[in-house]
Amino acid sequence: MLKNKKTVYFCQECGYESAKWMGQCPGCKSWNTFVEETVSTKKSLSSGITKSSEKRQEPVILKDISLSEDERQTTKIGELDRVLGGGIVPGSLVLVGGDPGIGKSTLLLQVCRNLAEKQVSVLYISGEESLRQIKLRANRIGQFNDKMQLLCETNLEVIREVIERKKPDVVVIDSIQTMFHEDVSSAPGSVSQVRESTNILMQIAKGMGVSIFIVGHVTKEGNVAGPRVLEHMVDTVLYFEGDRHASYRILRAVKNRFGSTNEIGVFEMCNTGLEEVKNPSEFLLNGRPEDASGSVVACSMEGTRPILVEIQALVCQSNFGIPRRTAVGTDFNRVNLLMAVLEKKVGIHLAASDAYVNIAGGMKMTEPAIDLGICLAIVSSAKDIVIPDNVMVFGEIGLSGEIRAVSMAGQRVQEAKKLGFETVMLPEVCRSSVGNVEGINLVYVSQIRDAISYIMRK
Ligand code: TYD
Ligand code: MG
């Protein structure tokens, strides 16, 4: 074996590094994921920033750094701009993750088209599809002008050379798992390749001020395939999620150095590419059942935007000793906790009942503000009372059955009013911040018991 080559084992799920093979990864606890990879012990390929001892560095005064060059580039896709924190920052590295077939390539191709229209030069580098395949997809999306260039390549040294020569403003790499560097001997898609490739792309982005979008596939656990380290290296991590069988898609920021991470963007897959869904609440509340028990509309803040969703619950007699509980789209443990509160503090007998809770439309919501919605849906199903469909509820529930304050109550009420709801049930503690709103009936509650007796009276 060569002197400067050594092999180490990497967990292909999380990037854990070990000198020996192991059955179970101590990092992510998955089994049989270690693969032997050769690493070069020579100077790392990406050590371009080091050698600080040779060059004298001077610190800069924070006040003197000018931001004029950091103007954001809008993509003309409002939903994407918001998730990015207001547009593309020059020199940023953005990772777009998601299941295969969810629409990553489609979205980025649309971004390229919009940017090219604004005379921004873009380079789309694909390691997955041929030029013909990309052309076919592009035909569905629309007209492209000559600022948009394509390249089918997987060798990063070639890519670096092309970028240096063509000097595009924005580059798309589809996908990072197909890229490789000759000096790393392991296969494309392996931990060391992905890490090294991202490193090189980061140098290009920061060194030349090019904004780079990287597409990454996700594993069955939902992480970007290969190492978690990738997420630490890039500036922004966006996940594209949604049911492949449903037409809408949600773009979520998991990490963002240039904006908030709570923002989501909603899209719908049409036959001409992805369309923005400007009003997700209306979209999600479509097709609600009328006069059905076990259904209530709740509100969750996703970033700066309130989103209304229908929460459904089905409570029925359990046939076995241990009741079944299922939560789809929300936290299972939270549902169990809320059921225990209902049992103990309100005296509703649920211990011998199966319960299924579902957030309609396939949305995932974990904000505690939907607690009141979950509780009322469960009670509504257990007692078979219909909650009128013009009622919206929100509030966090504490362990003693109290209804606690949530943030941005006023905005949630406004959203409900905009969508034509007539009654909003909200925490008593929010009264001082919300007060009275014209045209909508506000029901302030301080205990879950009060909330339940209100819907019983209705
Ligand atoms: P794609 O962008 O190739 O997904 P990814 O790059 O994330 O793997 O998305 C492909 C899917 O989108 C495919 O199932 C076809 C569908 N699609 C449409 O429905 N309409 C369209 O206009 C396009 C381009 C794709
Ligand atoms: Mg693709």
Side-chain angles (χ1 to χ4, degrees):
M1 196 201 273
L2 289 170
K3 228 180 182 175
N4 55 14
K5 287 271 166 73
K6 77 169 193 185
T7 65
V8 289
Y9 292 83
F10 282 109
C11 167
Q12 300 294 308
E13 294 288 339
C14 70
Y16 190 94
E17 187 179 330
S18 156
K20 281 191 307 195
W21 187 86
M22 279 186 280
Q24 188 186 23
C25 171
C28 63
K29 306 278 180 261
S30 47
W31 288 92
N32 208 11
T33 51
F34 277 88
V35 171
E36 184 176 20
E37 293 180 12
T38 321
V39 288
S40 164
T41 51
K42 277 192 298 188
K43 172 170 86 73
S44 164
L45 301 168
S46 45
S47 59
I49 326 161
T50 54
K51 291 197 185 159
S52 52
S53 55
E54 291 170 21
K55 262 195 223 149
R56 262 187 54 180
Q57 289 276 1
E58 281 297 326
V60 207
I61 300 169
L62 177 62
K63 206 168 66 129
D64 294 348
I65 301 172
S66 90
L67 284 180
S68 57
E69 59 217 300
D70 274 0
E71 273 166 19
R72 291 176 187 250
Q73 199 61 265
T74 154
T75 62
K76 291 208 239 158
I77 302 177
E79 296 286 304
L80 175 64
D81 280 347
R82 198 192 27 254
V83 176
L84 285 172
I88 307 172
V89 177
S92 62
L93 199 59
V94 180
L95 175 68
V96 181
D99 291 327
I102 200 89
K104 302 180 291 295
S105 308
T106 308
L107 178 71
L108 290 175
L109 211 56
Q110 281 176 271
V111 170
C112 289
R113 184 199 52 193
N114 291 354
L115 290 173
E117 257 172 24
K118 293 193 334 182
Q119 300 301 316
V120 176
S121 59
V122 285
L123 177 61
Y124 187 101
I125 303 171
S126 179
E128 298 197 331
E129 292 163 306
S130 66
L131 294 174
R132 258 184 60 86
Q133 279 174 305
I134 301 171
K135 175 77 183 164
L136 283 175
R137 187 205 309 271
N139 281 347
R140 294 175 73 170
I141 292 173
Q143 292 290 321
F144 284 75
N145 69 11
D146 51 12
K147 280 283 181 186
M148 159 91 187
Q149 295 182 314
L150 285 180
L151 177 71
C152 282
E153 183 56 63
T154 53
N155 186 338
L156 269 164
E157 278 310 309
V158 178
I159 291 173
R160 190 209 291 262
E161 189 271 324
V162 173
I163 295 178
E164 275 168 4
R165 188 155 41 87
K166 294 280 177 192
K167 298 199 172 40
D169 299 314
V170 176
V171 173
V172 174
I173 303 282
D174 192 0
S175 65
I176 191 72
Q177 276 90 9
T178 56
M179 298 295 151
F180 76 97
H181 192 285
E182 285 157 345
D183 293 1
V184 182
S185 58
S186 40
S190 64
V191 173
S192 27
Q193 278 290 6
V194 169
R195 184 158 33 183
E196 201 54 55
S197 307
T198 313
N199 237 322
I200 290 172
L201 292 171
M202 184 166 68
Q203 280 175 34
I204 297 175
K206 304 292 166 204
M208 300 175 54
V210 187
S211 314
I212 304 185
F213 283 89
I214 301 176
V215 172
H217 295 293
V218 299
T219 57
K220 54 184 187 304
E221 278 77 31
N223 299 326
V224 172
R228 260 276 147 99
V229 279
L230 213 113
E231 295 190 0
H232 300 301
M233 282 154 69
V234 300
D235 297 313
T236 304
V237 181
L238 308 180
Y239 274 102
F240 216 8
E241 46 187 55
D243 195 346
R244 267 182 78 178
H245 307 289
S247 63
Y248 71 89
R249 309 277 188 265
I250 290 158
L251 189 68
R252 197 183 285 278
V254 181
K255 162 184 173 178
N256 195 351
R257 287 193 182 140
F258 312 113
S260 146
T261 54
N262 306 318
E263 295 292 351
I264 64 166
V266 186
F267 296 90
E268 189 178 3
M269 183 62 98
C270 306
N271 54 6
T272 52
L274 289 154
E275 296 267 340
E276 294 174 63
V277 177
K278 292 260 167 59
N279 194 341
S281 304
E282 211 168 302
F283 189 76
L284 286 167
L285 292 178
N286 253 343
R288 276 185 68 201
E290 278 172 27
D291 295 335
S293 64
S295 155
V296 66
V297 176
C299 177
S300 171
M301 289 302 290
E302 297 290 330
T304 51
R305 192 162 53 162
I307 292 191
L308 302 194
V309 281
E310 181 196 351
I311 298 184
Q312 301 178 322
L314 184 66
V315 178
C316 50
Q317 184 76 39
S318 181
N319 288 324
F320 300 102
I322 305 164
R324 268 185 74 123
R325 305 274 159 89
T326 313
V328 180
T330 187
D331 184 12
F332 170 74
N333 293 319
R334 190 92 199 155
V335 171
N336 274 338
L337 182 148
L338 294 172
M339 290 183 75
V341 172
L342 287 174
E343 178 104 32
K344 178 93 179 168
K345 298 289 168 187
V346 190
I348 299 176
H349 187 57
L350 294 167
S353 309
D354 291 346
Y356 307 90
V357 173
N358 176 32
I359 309 254
M363 284 288 283
K364 286 194 186 69
M365 291 193 161
T366 48
E367 208 207 343
I370 62 168
D371 285 358
L372 185 57
I374 297 176
C375 280
L376 292 185
I378 291 171
V379 174
S380 158
S381 175
K383 304 253 177 216
D384 205 16
I385 345 169
V386 177
I387 300 178
D389 58 4
N390 57 11
V391 177
M392 190 276 268
V393 304
F394 64 87
E396 179 180 344
I397 293 181
L399 287 188
S400 40
E402 82 277 19
I403 299 182
R404 308 174 67 103
V406 297
S407 61
M408 297 190 256
Q411 278 191 38
R412 300 181 205 243
V413 173
Q414 288 304 333
E415 178 78 5
K417 188 177 163 191
K418 208 167 79 193
L419 290 170
F421 284 82
E422 283 163 20
T423 306
V424 173
M425 190 184 281
L426 67 168
E428 176 68 46
V429 261
C430 293
R431 192 190 284 272
S432 55
S433 65
V434 182
N436 281 327
V437 179
E438 206 181 309
I440 198 155
N441 174 23
L442 298 181
V443 180
Y444 289 101
V445 284
S446 56
Q447 279 290 327
I448 178 69
R449 201 188 292 271
D450 305 341
I452 292 169
S453 48
Y454 178 84
I455 59 163
M456 299 268 231
R457 264 187 279 127
K458 268 265 163 173

